[in-house]
Amino acid sequence: MTQESARTPHGSDSTGRGQSGDAPGFTRAQVEALFLDAAREGEAELLGRFLGAGMAPDLRTDKGYTPLILATYNGHLEAARVLLAHGADVNAQDEKGATALAGVAFKGDLALARLLLESGAGVDVANAVGRTPLMFAVMFGREDMARLLLAAGADPHRRDGEGLNAIELARRQGGAALAQVLEQQSDKA
């Protein structure tokens, strides 16, 4: 079974047309699921077609994930570019308050982080427990990401819901060297 036919609703052939040659009988939910899958799988060209046909770039899953959050979390740079070019909200937050930049910071994908920052991503947008992208980079030992976020203006002294800042989180994680980088950067500010 091809990838295309696996995503085609029952009763349609791989062209997406019904067995009788009519327009397919897609439900709105099926179309939305296909669109979200295209974002998750990084199918930039297919995303462009959906968006060109009027699909909302900030459609949400039941957990609040937008296509941009899905594409960036899964490392799809071209898909993210397409979504941003079609007006996707770079600062949209999922149900837990995470943005695309937070997911990228956690994963350590510098190219995607640069794209998001160039597109206006808020560097200090905190999630529901007060954690910022810088805090996620620190918690997962992503020193290059932390440096990028600091250069973009991230505040290493901002505190999360537990009252900890990025410097303290780095120390708590055993990252004395990263804590020192954060301290040095904040001294320059």
Side-chain angles (χ1 to χ4, degrees):
M1 182 181 297
T2 67
Q3 189 175 17
E4 180 68 27
S5 63
R7 292 182 300 134
T8 304
H10 182 69
S12 302
D13 64 20
S14 64
T15 66
R17 303 201 57 72
Q19 291 173 346
S20 64
D22 302 355
F26 294 107
T27 66
R28 182 72 183 171
Q30 288 171 321
V31 172
E32 290 174 354
L34 291 170
F35 177 58
L36 293 166
D37 284 346
R40 187 178 292 110
E41 295 168 12
E43 296 181 30
E45 183 180 327
L46 185 55
L47 284 171
R49 290 196 310 243
F50 273 116
L51 292 161
M55 184 63 68
D58 293 321
L59 178 74
R60 292 181 178 270
T61 69
D62 58 342
K63 294 187 183 220
Y65 304 139
T66 64
L68 184 62
I69 290 172
L70 292 170
T72 56
Y73 186 81
N74 288 291
H76 301 303
L77 184 63
E78 291 308 313
R81 282 190 177 120
V82 168
L83 289 160
L84 289 165
H86 284 85
D89 180 358
V90 73
N91 289 309
Q93 294 174 281
D94 67 19
E95 69 178 10
K96 294 183 179 180
T99 62
L101 185 58
V104 168
F106 154 73
K107 294 278 206 136
D109 192 320
L110 294 171
L112 275 167
R114 284 185 191 98
L115 174 66
L116 294 170
L117 290 166
E118 290 165 3
S119 299
V123 73
D124 281 328
V125 176
N127 70 6
V129 295
R131 296 240 163 99
T132 65
L134 178 60
M135 292 174 184
F136 283 111
V138 166
M139 290 169 59
F140 292 93
R142 311 282 191 212
E143 185 174 333
D144 290 341
M145 179 64 69
R147 288 178 185 273
L148 175 68
L149 294 170
L150 287 166
D155 180 1
H157 297 288
R158 185 178 176 131
R159 298 201 174 273
D160 67 10
E162 295 178 15
L164 299 169
N165 66 31
I167 298 166
E168 293 160 343
L169 285 168
R171 284 192 193 114
R172 187 163 109 174
Q173 298 290 114
L178 184 51
Q180 187 174 7
V181 166
L182 295 167
E183 287 172 338
Q184 289 170 348
Q185 188 67 29
S186 67
D187 290 342
K188 292 178 185 177

